[in-house]
Amino acid sequence: MVSESTHDVKSTGIRERLGEFCYSAGLLSPLQRVRSWWHKDLRILAYHRVMPLPDPDSYDFDMELISATPEGFREQMLLVKERYRPMRLSDVAAAIDAGHALPPDTVVITFDDGYDDNYHIAFPILQELGIPATFFVSTGHIDSGRPYAYDWLVHMILMTGAARLELPELGMDMPMPVGRAARRALATSVLDHMKEISALAQAGMIRRLEKEWHMPSDAAVPADCRPMTWDQLREMHAAGLEIGSHGVNHWMLSKLPLDELEREVRDSRDALLRELGPMPLLMSYPVGSNRAFDRQVIEVTRSAGFDVACSYISGTNPQPAANRYSLYRLAVERYIGKRWFAAMLTMPGLINHPTPAHLATSDEAPSCSH
Ligand SMILES: [Zn+2]
């Protein structure tokens, strides 16, 4: 997770320009037809928040979580409906189980975390267009209504009156910058460094800051960072949308001791079944980079009864049966315009956008910072 200004502008610019060119030249439809003869790969789109773009100078939370505006999302879904075959993730799992090939141009829509704009904004658009989607939620946040810890950490760094940022857990100690943009960049750096320490140490560090800075996340939760409620999820589920697990506490599963890992996976499963009834079990690993899940995480997920699991590693899935517990996804970011989006879906190997965390930490696969 890196602010837009620190992205790898050069490679992003080339992708965007190539996408624009192919779109303007009318090449996307023929390219899609030709490509679908050779590639039967499964495309899975990954979203976080869908909401109007706020003014970064007055918005107190993490801008990087915004995947699309309502208008942009509607435009993207119209394109998916017109040119691709949107499919439920559980139907993908059933096809894998049956040994059936997926139809060409299959696209699955997914959301991570469980912010309430998913209900208020994305859900009506999906319903209107009849497009299925899977919403991966961290069940502990749905239970408690508390904001997601990483987003709250960004909020605290943006808003604290503390003169210094002292994080011995990360070996960081520095004066707190004054400007909003500098604080956003600092928050990004903190989030990147945090991925080196255990999930429980991350949680402990955030709790300590809440206390020291008098900014408890269980006080009145600002409207800008609210998770969905179980009632909202029940309504979406009853309307045919799928709800999956994103853990209980949004902890990096590979950074937990085995007993805690098993608890996160099983308790999130039990919460979904308790609140929503029997359903196919679908997982998205929190953060999702190749450092956020490993063989042990996959084994615990599989043995807990989950049918498939999504990573946040960028790519498509030529043989989803082979990586059904580490499915690749294509991240949608708020600065991906209509033409770029269309080109990304047509030529995902060329135009997909490496997630910002990938650009920040070149030694690992892309990850969702949230
Ligand atoms: Zn997440």
Side-chain angles (χ1 to χ4, degrees), residues 48 112-113 246 250 286-287 368 370:
H48 285 94
D112 278 4
D113 294 351
H246 200 45
H250 201 282
V287 180
C368 149
H370 315 286

Side-chain angles (χ1 to χ4, degrees), residues 178-208:
V178 179
R180 175 65 59 112
R183 287 203 183 193
R184 282 196 191 280
L186 178 58
T188 294
S189 169
V190 170
L191 285 173
D192 283 341
H193 280 88
M194 271 172 61
K195 290 177 189 149
E196 304 296 332
I197 64 176
S198 78
L200 300 179
Q202 292 178 19
M205 189 189 91
I206 293 171
R207 267 199 310 274
R208 179 177 64 73

Side-chain angles (χ1 to χ4, degrees), residues 162-167 171-177 186 189-190 193:
R164 293 190 72 79
L165 178 69
E166 295 170 272
L167 301 174
M172 297 175 83
D173 182 1
M174 63 195 69
M176 190 63 81
L186 178 58
S189 169
V190 170
H193 280 88

Side-chain angles (χ1 to χ4, degrees), residues 55-72:
D55 174 2
D57 291 332
S58 56
Y59 185 63
D60 298 338
F61 291 89
D62 188 353
M63 294 285 292
E64 303 306 321
L65 284 163
I66 304 172
S67 306
T69 62
E71 301 74 29

Side-chain angles (χ1 to χ4, degrees), residues 60-177:
D60 298 338
F61 291 89
D62 188 353
M63 294 285 292
E64 303 306 321
L65 284 163
I66 304 172
S67 306
T69 62
E71 301 74 29
F73 180 69
R74 195 169 187 286
E75 217 167 48
Q76 291 168 5
M77 291 303 102
L78 274 171
L79 187 134
V80 166
K81 188 181 166 79
E82 282 165 11
R83 305 248 301 262
Y84 292 86
R85 291 176 208 239
M87 195 168 177
R88 292 157 64 96
L89 188 55
S90 62
D91 290 337
V92 168
I96 293 173
D97 287 338
H100 294 155
L102 294 172
D105 295 326
T106 297
V107 172
V108 169
I109 312 294
T110 67
F111 291 77
D112 278 4
D113 294 351
Y115 280 92
D116 74 346
D117 49 72
N118 291 182
Y119 171 81
H120 291 295
I121 298 176
F123 172 39
I125 294 171
L126 291 165
Q127 259 198 316
E128 177 204 334
L129 300 177
I131 295 179
T134 302
F135 294 82
F136 295 110
V137 303
S138 298
T139 57
H141 289 274
I142 308 300
D143 283 338
S144 69
R146 285 173 75 151
Y148 298 93
Y150 294 165
D151 202 6
W152 192 253
L153 176 62
V154 171
H155 173 71
M156 288 196 292
I157 292 174
L158 291 175
M159 303 304 288
T160 181
R164 293 190 72 79
L165 178 69
E166 295 170 272
L167 301 174
E169 300 90 339
L170 308 180
M172 297 175 83
D173 182 1
M174 63 195 69
M176 190 63 81

